[in-house]
Amino acid sequence: MTGTSPSDPPRFREQAALGARILQNCRAELYSLFPYLDGAFACLRYSPRRDGSVGTDGARLLFHPPFLLRLYRQSPAAARRGYLHVLLHCLFLHLFDKPAEPRLWDLACDMAVERLIEKQNLSRLALEPSPVRSACFALLGEQNRPAQEIAGLLRDGFFPFSLDDLETAFRFDDHALWREADGGLRKTWERALAYAGAGRTGKGRAGSLAGAASETFEGPQRGAYRYSRYLRRFTVQREEAELDLNSFDYIFYHLGMERYGNMPLLEPLEYKEGNKLEELVIAIDTSGSCSRETVSRFLSETYAILGASENFFRRMTVYLIQCDCMVQSAAVIRSPEDWARQSRQIVIQGRGGTDFTPVFRYVDKLRAEKKLRNLRALLYFTDGDGFYPSEKTAYETAFVFLEKNAHLDKVPPWAVRLVVGEGVIRA
């Protein structure tokens, strides 16, 4: 612990030492609940402050000893929850954004991390019931919503409460300290989040933490599955600009050339009818439960789909989405040339927890905006460990596994389970 000096009153130094022990106890209990956060815990050192409450500047967990002692005396669960609240702000990089509307941003960040903590449903983190919190959680639903999305809801007046009431219900720490955060610490917390995501090996609850890590993709691997047969069921018939040499009559062509010189009787047809895909969404699970090698395999399978020209019309709309518990990136591919350019610069992004629902919310938005007009299929490459949508989609959804595993049975009955190399696995 840092922050005290011999010139401080003895009582302050005693309270600071006791406060540090309380934080150590909170950390030990949180570690037993979330062992994959051990690297994140190590990023914050304890430091007492002369006034205020609790907060962080990204390097220190600063606490006012009388405030912390009083809080712990009243509710040890609230102190543990507050520690986790501060830590999640750091992991989600809330400190390092420069918002146009600081008050809405601060509140949205508090609501986002509190919603994640509430979803853990752990008695050791439980607070006294609050009608405002309960109503807001119900309005937010089961999906994880990032602070950016919640800030938009606040701006639109989505919650039937005043900002003062919402701040009273959700605020814990002092966000004024965020303005002092060193931007160089961002990479430290990005690494901590990547480490936390990679450390989630089945313990705890899936889908809790979004990732902020990125990795380069070294290119496709061999052994990709042939998807043409499965995708054929989603094709549509359309004319496409292409010479249809099968429909071209050479007899009349040569007859015209011989009789009229350079005047063929029939020109080659400029359009050819075909059955191909015109719209498709491919989602890739980049959460920490999927190793880098697994995500690279997902991308290899994507290469197999998009690299086969017989699957698509030349004018197509394919969305390639990377998601852990939030949409990390979304690229739209409209032609083979787009894919050729995109495939050379793919960066794997994520490595956090797993929640499949943000992809479906994003696709619903695209459909509402008419950016997808005739979507018939979504392929989601995953290891299967995450939160699934509860309602059937208006288009066919296939969760694609590289191999059979214990999570295969988690796929909801309305979706297709596709195992590479084995095809469709029926419920």
Side-chain angles (χ1 to χ4, degrees), residues 22 27 32-33 41 52 55 124 181 200 214 309 341-342 354 373-374 377 381 388 408:
I22 288 173
R27 170 178 168 167
S32 70
L33 298 172
F41 288 126
R124 282 189 280 177
R200 298 191 75 257
S214 63
S309 59
R341 286 190 296 269
Q342 179 71 27
T354 316
R373 295 176 177 272
N374 191 28
F381 290 97
Y388 289 87
L408 196 64

Side-chain angles (χ1 to χ4, degrees), residues 238-250:
R238 193 176 81 190
E239 285 187 337
E240 188 170 31
E242 181 180 344
L243 291 181
D244 187 356
L245 297 180
N246 292 326
S247 300
F248 177 55
D249 194 326
Y250 284 94

Side-chain angles (χ1 to χ4, degrees), residues 213-219 292-293 295-296 299 322 343-349 351:
S214 63
E215 302 168 338
T216 56
F217 173 55
E218 297 176 351
R292 186 180 187 279
E293 292 73 19
V295 177
S296 293
L299 285 166
Q322 296 187 44
S343 63
R344 290 193 294 267
Q345 56 190 22
I346 288 179
V347 176
I348 301 170
Q349 300 180 51
R351 323 310 291 143

